[in-house]
Amino acid sequence: MKYVSFLAANGTETWGVAIDGTVYDLGPTGKNLAANVRELIENGAFGTELDLSGAPTIDEAEITHLPSLTNPGKIICIGVNYLAHQEESGKTGQTAPTVFTRFADTQMGHLAPAVKPASTTKFDYEGEMALVIGKEAWRVSEEDSWDHIAGYACYNDFSVRDWQKAASQWIPGKNFPATGGFGPYLVPAKDLGDVNKLTLETRVNGEVRQNAPVSNLVFNIPQLINYVTAFTKLNPGDVVVTGTPGGVGLFWGEGGLLNDGDVVEVEITGLGVLRNTVKDEV
């Protein structure tokens, strides 16, 4: 099942499921099974069998995508969490995950523009896999971590490198408006099987820039959940963005960074293709 958040024709935020190119509206403008995907997760209904009968339908090609979760309470991002990215950035030998935060209002959906700030000449991509928490998680053991995951989605942590590198804290370079691509779908964990067998690929104008199996994470998913929940409680609908492989634009070489009109795609096995086009801030 592929869950999608989108704008209805009247501009109302709603959600539904996408099946073979058709979206069944199950949100406020449809069957109203929940106000949004986060509420569905909180109610324990995410990933369960849903009654689609009588739900209004829309051609998926005609919807305006929103971030897979429009209102997460927390977005926890993990930096340099693939060995190849550690090596290209000179950050090997870490003994704990690098953690920073992204704000919910910096996110955008599939097909929305990725806005390159006027204040930068170093706009970059970071294809990643995001996981969404399904139930309250506090001091969770690695063994129990999988039970706390509702689902997974593609993520693009577009990064403003000069702002990111201006100081030791990365938050400024990670929180410009419309720089957190999230979607197109949120897929229940039970539908994916072993996520370590998934492959992440990032393309810029069709050129493959990043390609790695999720199994190449330096700190794997159980370790991340164990570490993060040791210092902050995660709640249903919170997001953990797990890290990007080697091949980011900053280290790609001449022409590696992004400019107006560049099309960036993040594809993960079973999660679809997240596509955003870079647009200069005006």
Side-chain angles (χ1 to χ4, degrees), residues 112-222:
V115 178
K116 179 182 178 181
S119 60
T120 189
T121 59
K122 295 183 177 180
F123 195 50
D124 209 345
Y125 55 86
E126 290 192 4
E128 312 199 24
M129 185 177 75
L131 65 86
V132 176
I133 297 297
K135 62 181 181 180
E136 183 180 290
W138 174 235
R139 296 174 178 166
V140 176
S141 69
E142 292 183 25
E143 293 75 17
D144 292 338
S145 62
W146 300 109
D147 294 335
H148 290 76
I149 300 172
Y152 299 88
C154 299
Y155 208 96
N156 197 332
D157 182 36
F158 286 95
S159 301
V160 185
R161 296 299 190 196
D162 34 9
W163 281 80
Q164 178 187 352
K165 293 179 174 295
S168 61
Q169 300 299 315
W170 294 1
I171 292 175
K174 300 288 191 171
N175 281 286
F176 279 79
T179 58
F182 190 12
Y185 311 115
L186 180 60
V187 178
K190 67 180 183 61
D191 293 349
L192 285 175
D194 184 0
V195 296
N196 289 308
K197 295 181 179 179
L198 307 184
T199 297
L200 186 159
E201 182 171 283
T202 305
R203 299 180 291 271
V204 178
N205 300 326
E207 178 184 36
V208 176
R209 296 287 188 87
Q210 299 179 295
N211 184 283
V214 173
S215 60
N216 280 7
L217 287 169
V218 174
F219 297 99
N220 62 32
I221 289 171

Side-chain angles (χ1 to χ4, degrees), residues 48-279:
T48 64
E49 186 172 346
L50 300 174
D51 181 10
L52 306 183
S53 62
T57 59
I58 312 98
D59 186 330
E60 186 176 351
E62 297 180 359
I63 68 171
T64 299
H65 287 262
L66 296 172
S68 291
L69 276 175
T70 58
N71 59 339
K74 294 176 183 173
I75 304 170
I76 303 291
C77 299
I78 309 300
V80 286
N81 198 27
Y82 283 79
L83 182 58
H85 186 40
Q86 289 187 352
E87 291 173 341
E88 70 183 2
S89 58
K91 297 183 182 296
T92 57
Q94 295 186 77
T95 58
T98 297
V99 178
F100 60 95
T101 57
R102 178 177 275 281
F103 308 137
D105 63 0
T106 68
Q107 298 188 128
M108 71 286 192
H110 172 57
L111 300 179
V115 178
K116 179 182 178 181
S119 60
T120 189
T121 59
K122 295 183 177 180
F123 195 50
D124 209 345
Y125 55 86
E126 290 192 4
E128 312 199 24
M129 185 177 75
L131 65 86
V132 176
I133 297 297
K135 62 181 181 180
E136 183 180 290
W138 174 235
R139 296 174 178 166
V140 176
S141 69
E142 292 183 25
E143 293 75 17
D144 292 338
S145 62
W146 300 109
D147 294 335
H148 290 76
I149 300 172
Y152 299 88
C154 299
Y155 208 96
N156 197 332
D157 182 36
F158 286 95
S159 301
V160 185
R161 296 299 190 196
D162 34 9
W163 281 80
Q164 178 187 352
K165 293 179 174 295
S168 61
Q169 300 299 315
W170 294 1
I171 292 175
K174 300 288 191 171
N175 281 286
F176 279 79
T179 58
F182 190 12
Y185 311 115
L186 180 60
V187 178
K190 67 180 183 61
D191 293 349
L192 285 175
D194 184 0
V195 296
N196 289 308
K197 295 181 179 179
L198 307 184
T199 297
L200 186 159
E201 182 171 283
T202 305
R203 299 180 291 271
V204 178
N205 300 326
E207 178 184 36
V208 176
R209 296 287 188 87
Q210 299 179 295
N211 184 283
V214 173
S215 60
N216 280 7
L217 287 169
V218 174
F219 297 99
N220 62 32
I221 289 171
Q223 290 171 323
L224 293 179
I225 291 179
N226 172 254
Y227 182 80
V228 171
T229 63
F231 71 83
T232 188
K233 183 184 291 184
L234 297 178
N235 293 300
D238 287 347
V239 178
V240 178
V241 187
T242 57
T244 198
V248 300
L250 185 66
F251 304 111
W252 186 259
E254 185 177 356
L257 293 166
L258 299 173
N259 294 295
D260 185 72
D262 286 338
V263 178
V264 188
E265 297 173 308
V266 179
E267 181 172 7
I268 302 176
T269 315
L271 300 180
V273 179
L274 169 64
R275 182 180 300 110
N276 299 99
T277 301
V278 177
K279 180 180 179 181

